[in-house]
Amino acid sequence: DAGVTQSPTHLIKTRGQQVTLRCSPKSGHDTVSWYQQALGQGPQFIFQYYEEEERQRGNFPDRFSGHQFPNYSSELNVNALLLGDSALYLCASTWVGRHEQYFGPGTRLTVT
Amino acid sequence: AQSVTQLGSHVSVSEGALVLLRCNYSSSVPPYLFWYVQYPNQGLQLLLKYTSAATLVKGINGFEAEFKKSETSFHLTKPSAHMSDAAEYFCAVIPTGANNLFFGTGTRLTVIP
């Protein structure tokens, strides 16, 4: 049973560029959440998707956007990258109505 | 606003000693509570969860946590530390009516041989 997978593992971008991160949820899960974890900090909630709709959003600017596909996989897009966007981006999945979330290994984004 | 506080950003214990990692939550209504572990350069792994079924929750790898409403606490314990327990531990909460996790700032556990 495959767990949550994310790609790519690492990514280096330049300020002002755009980036797309991808996530496949754990088999059977239909809800995907994205979190940003800055170095030395706890993860912070970006947004959650269910039935291809953004269900809830954290305190992140509109530069952060997402999408969920019919197969429940998801993308996180960040436009106009800033140095402060450098972080580990974590995807988590669950079933709707359940509360425990299962995390992928993350994508390490470095903005130079 | 809902939050969790983890007391002690770094905790060191000797191998075989008791592990105690502290977490307090702020809420008038008991939320859903979780402990996650993060090994270096990895994602988060769910250790255990409290969802009001029982106040003493057993998790993986010999960890357990006790929910104490009177103290608004959800401390994580393990009777005997192992070298493989060295990692970052995060307490997290999902407030009633919400769907997302709010994380504490984490506690780095070091196990001394």
Side-chain angles (χ1 to χ4, degrees):
Chain A
D1 178 21
V4 180
T5 60
Q6 293 185 243
S7 64
T9 305
H10 295 88
L11 204 52
I12 300 175
K13 290 287 189 178
T14 303
R15 276 179 299 175
Q17 286 187 317
Q18 178 265 343
V19 68
T20 298
L21 310 182
R22 295 175 176 83
C23 170
S24 291
K26 186 176 170 67
S27 178
H29 288 184
D30 55 14
T31 302
V32 174
S33 300
W34 286 91
Y35 292 82
Q36 180 195 65
Q37 186 179 21
L39 200 61
Q41 302 293 320
Q44 290 197 321
F45 174 70
I46 302 175
F47 42 55
Q48 184 180 82
Y49 276 84
Y50 170 66
E51 290 190 336
E52 303 179 50
E53 298 279 340
E54 184 181 289
R55 190 180 184 205
Q56 192 169 350
R57 188 179 183 92
N59 188 26
F60 279 80
D62 292 344
R63 299 187 298 108
F64 289 77
S65 63
H67 188 77
Q68 186 180 34
F69 299 94
N71 67 353
Y72 308 119
S73 67
S74 177
E75 289 182 348
L76 164 65
N77 301 291
V78 187
N79 294 322
L81 284 167
L82 304 173
L83 294 179
D85 295 332
S86 295
L88 181 67
Y89 288 85
L90 295 162
C91 172
S93 71
T94 188
W95 309 265
V96 68
R98 297 293 294 268
H99 295 88
E100 62 270 30
Q101 297 186 18
Y102 296 86
F103 284 80
T107 294
R108 174 74 61 187
L109 172 65
T110 302
V111 182
T112 62
Chain B
Q2 185 63 248
S3 68
V4 289
T5 302
Q6 292 186 242
L7 296 176
S9 58
H10 292 87
V11 171
S12 293
V13 299
S14 297
E15 190 175 15
L18 171 72
V19 176
L20 171 61
L21 304 182
R22 301 177 186 274
C23 173
N24 289 87
Y25 66 92
S26 61
S27 175
S28 59
V29 178
Y32 298 104
L33 292 158
F34 305 84
W35 276 99
Y36 283 86
V37 61
Q38 186 175 35
Y39 298 100
N41 300 313
Q42 294 188 27
L44 279 76
Q45 182 181 12
L46 179 64
L47 274 178
L48 49 80
K49 62 182 180 183
Y50 168 75
T51 56
S52 77
T55 56
L56 183 62
V57 181
K58 294 188 182 297
I60 62 171
N61 301 338
F63 284 93
E64 62 182 37
E66 186 173 7
F67 172 75
K68 291 187 177 180
K69 184 178 178 181
S70 61
E71 299 177 6
T72 60
S73 69
F74 190 57
H75 301 331
L76 181 70
T77 60
K78 182 174 181 178
S80 177
H82 192 273
M83 295 299 294
S84 61
D85 294 327
E88 187 90 20
Y89 291 80
F90 291 95
C91 181
V93 60
I94 294 182
T96 304
N99 300 303
N100 59 289
L101 289 158
F102 289 88
F103 285 88
T105 52
T107 297
R108 181 167 299 277
L109 176 66
T110 300
V111 182
I112 304 167

